Amino acid sequence: MKTMIKTGMKLLLRTKAFWFFLILTPLLSTLVLKSKFDSSAAYIQKEEGKIVELSKAEEKVAYNGGNGEYLVKVYDASESEISEGILKNLAGSGMYMICRVKLSGQGNVFTEDFVNRHMKADGFEDRMGAAIYITSEFTKASTAKEMAESIKVYSLSDDERTDLLISDIEFLINGCEEAGTDFLEAVNSVFEHKKVITVSGKKSTTLTVDQVNRKTQIGYSFAFMTLGFVFCGIFVAHAAITEQKNGVFTRIGLTKAGPVQYFASKLATSVIISLMSTGVMGICSLIMSPDDLGMSRLKFLLMIFMLGLIFSSISMLLGILLGDVMSANVAAFSVWCLSALLSGLYFPLSDVSNFIKMLSSLMPQKWFLNASEKIIIGDNTAFGMILCITAAYLMVVISLGSLGIKLRRTSEWGNS
């Protein structure tokens, strides 16, 4: 078995393309980790029942919705406690996502020209269910009727929830009038029985903006590193395919070394190249501080090694089972592309269908990305999780690989 490992490593070290992937992908991963960018807008979840504050009237609200929410853009020229209470109750009802831009201090902006200009932009250049204008006269309202006249609702879609929005606002105003007490107290009490309590399985961990950016960079780094591991594993498979075609595998089968030992030698070669690639990544990571990684260098490299062990062994398995160099290359690249997309390395998958989330759970990168999040926040259970994941994938690879080698050997003997 030692002889087979040495022979396989000699063939790999003579391959220029192997050195290309071994060195280039860690370098690209390092550049990604050293880059500074803000990805928090895509990954940080909006808090349930909170008002989304916009910086200016022209800002788009479509980017704030991603799961079928009914978006409502509010132009608040009053900025009073009562308008704040109304909007908080609407947002807290669970039916609407309220996005507000504050217009106080900008003069009397509620003019026909202002309304027409923004309605055109909101209707044709943005995506929302409705727009609400709370005029500056709202602060002077002393009756429910005056309050109603100071709130203008504009329907910008054919969504039936627009009628519900108008009904809720009318219900709120009528409740205030019937209360006959302080408007602010009425606003806070009239919607109390209409609150919707949502029970969901959202993640309990909360990351800061900086931690989210670190997690995103680690995800991109995983994408480059898995590409290198996949193709380094394919080079091991190329050697196995060549040996099968040249009859080397048949001659090995005639010795004491059986198909299980042969596959074990190839798996050991995958372990060695995973160590080599992790070593190159370790050298490249010397230019980075633990702050750039979001964790200690040892923990990061340990994750890289285990992820590499999974992908190099999977690509090696594909090559051995397919028995053709071109088919192995296509299969390996397809595995890398699909697994990276479905695991959430490039973009969050919080709003996709349950079927896609189920497929995502089958991808190794997803578990390693979740582990990196745990490590960033100081959760020591992460390594137990990824050790179990690595062992599970390796068991599947060993089982399928041993079975595939035996079937191929039987087929060759049958043909001879």
Side-chain angles (χ1 to χ4, degrees):
M1 183 172 169
K2 290 182 180 179
T3 304
M4 289 188 286
I5 295 174
K6 289 180 181 179
T7 304
M9 286 303 303
K10 287 180 181 179
L11 291 174
L12 279 178
L13 296 178
R14 293 172 186 171
T15 307
K16 294 180 180 179
F18 169 75
W19 288 102
F20 175 81
F21 284 102
L22 184 68
I23 297 174
L24 180 63
T25 50
L27 286 174
L28 291 176
S29 297
T30 304
L31 290 176
V32 169
L33 291 171
K34 286 290 290 182
S35 302
K36 303 294 182 182
F37 53 84
D38 185 6
S39 59
S40 59
Y43 284 86
I44 293 181
Q45 298 291 326
K46 305 294 186 302
E47 293 186 52
E48 188 79 20
K50 297 294 184 179
I51 299 173
V52 178
E53 300 291 351
L54 306 178
S55 59
K56 55 184 179 179
E58 291 76 17
E59 187 172 340
K60 300 287 190 298
V61 303
Y63 305 113
N64 295 285
N67 198 25
E69 295 93 347
Y70 184 79
L71 292 170
V72 180
K73 188 173 185 179
V74 179
Y75 298 87
D76 190 358
S78 70
E79 206 173 325
S80 63
E81 291 184 350
I82 301 176
S83 66
E84 181 82 11
I86 290 175
L87 297 180
K88 281 185 176 179
N89 275 286
L90 289 174
S93 69
M95 296 296 298
Y96 322 104
M97 178 171 283
I98 304 297
C99 304
R100 175 177 62 182
V101 55
K102 296 179 179 179
L103 301 177
S104 61
Q106 301 184 25
N108 187 17
V109 296
F110 191 76
T111 63
E112 185 177 352
D113 178 65
F114 180 84
V115 173
N116 291 337
R117 178 160 48 90
H118 282 275
M119 282 303 99
K120 182 178 180 180
D122 292 343
F124 292 99
E125 300 175 12
D126 207 344
R127 182 185 66 82
M128 66 188 74
I132 298 177
Y133 280 83
I134 304 178
T135 70
S136 57
E137 298 297 322
F138 185 83
T139 56
K140 304 174 184 178
S142 58
T143 65
K145 181 179 179 181
E146 292 176 353
M147 183 187 294
E149 292 175 349
S150 303
I151 299 179
K152 312 293 181 180
V153 181
Y154 299 86
S155 176
L156 298 176
S157 70
D158 57 358
D159 196 310
E160 295 180 357
R161 286 174 288 184
T162 303
D163 295 333
L164 182 61
L165 174 66
I166 297 173
S167 176
D168 280 343
I169 294 175
E170 291 176 348
F171 178 83
L172 175 61
I173 294 174
N174 292 334
C176 291
E177 186 174 36
E178 292 173 3
T181 58
D182 182 78
F183 272 136
L184 184 58
E185 292 182 6
V187 165
N188 293 329
S189 63
V190 73
F191 259 52
E192 193 64 32
H193 70 285
K194 295 192 62 140
K195 294 285 176 111
V196 176
I197 299 175
T198 303
V199 179
S200 62
K202 291 185 178 179
K203 297 177 182 178
S204 57
T205 56
T206 301
L207 302 180
T208 65
V209 172
D210 183 64
Q211 289 172 335
V212 168
N213 292 334
R214 294 293 176 223
K215 176 186 173 183
T216 307
Q217 288 174 295
I218 289 174
Y220 293 150
S221 174
F222 284 167
F224 283 114
M225 288 303 296
T226 50
L227 176 64
F229 286 125
V230 161
F231 278 96
C232 285
I234 278 296
F235 292 125
V236 178
H238 285 184
I241 293 170
T242 303
E243 289 171 355
Q244 291 174 20
K245 291 183 177 179
N246 293 338
V248 175
F249 176 61
T250 303
R251 291 194 295 272
I252 290 175
L254 298 176
T255 65
K256 293 181 180 180
V260 176
Q261 288 82 359
Y262 177 79
F263 182 77
S265 69
K266 297 304 178 185
L267 187 61
T269 305
S270 298
V271 174
I272 294 173
I273 63 174
S274 297
L275 283 171
M276 291 174 64
S277 187
T278 304
V280 175
M281 185 66 200
I283 295 173
C284 294
S285 69
L286 293 176
I287 66 173
M288 297 182 292
S289 65
D291 291 336
D292 294 324
L293 296 172
M295 63 186 74
S296 70
R297 185 173 287 104
L298 181 60
K299 291 179 179 179
F300 176 74
L301 293 178
L302 186 57
M303 280 203 303
I304 290 294
F305 170 69
M306 287 191 286
L307 187 62
L309 191 57
I310 291 173
F311 274 92
S312 60
S313 59
I314 288 177
S315 59
M316 179 266 297
L317 171 66
L318 289 173
I320 291 177
L321 294 180
L322 293 174
D324 180 73
V325 173
M326 183 58 67
S327 299
N329 289 337
V330 173
F333 188 73
S334 300
V335 166
W336 174 73
C337 288
L338 291 176
S339 62
L341 286 172
L342 292 174
S343 61
L345 295 186
Y346 302 135
F347 44 80
L349 301 177
S350 56
D351 296 327
V352 299
S353 65
N354 291 331
F355 178 72
I356 298 298
K357 288 181 180 178
M358 181 189 69
L359 291 179
S360 178
S361 299
L362 300 176
M363 306 301 146
Q365 300 100 311
K366 172 184 170 55
W367 297 99
F368 279 80
L369 196 60
N370 290 344
S372 67
E373 178 180 320
K374 290 180 178 292
I375 294 172
I376 288 173
I377 64 175
D379 189 344
N380 295 323
T381 63
F383 279 100
M385 178 182 71
I386 58 178
L387 280 172
C388 292
I389 292 297
T390 303
Y393 276 98
L394 289 181
M395 288 178 63
V396 172
V397 169
I398 292 172
S399 300
L400 293 178
S402 301
L403 179 61
I405 288 290
K406 288 181 179 180
L407 292 176
R408 186 167 292 279
R409 181 182 181 183
T410 303
S411 176
E412 288 180 359
W413 286 2
N415 292 334
S416 61

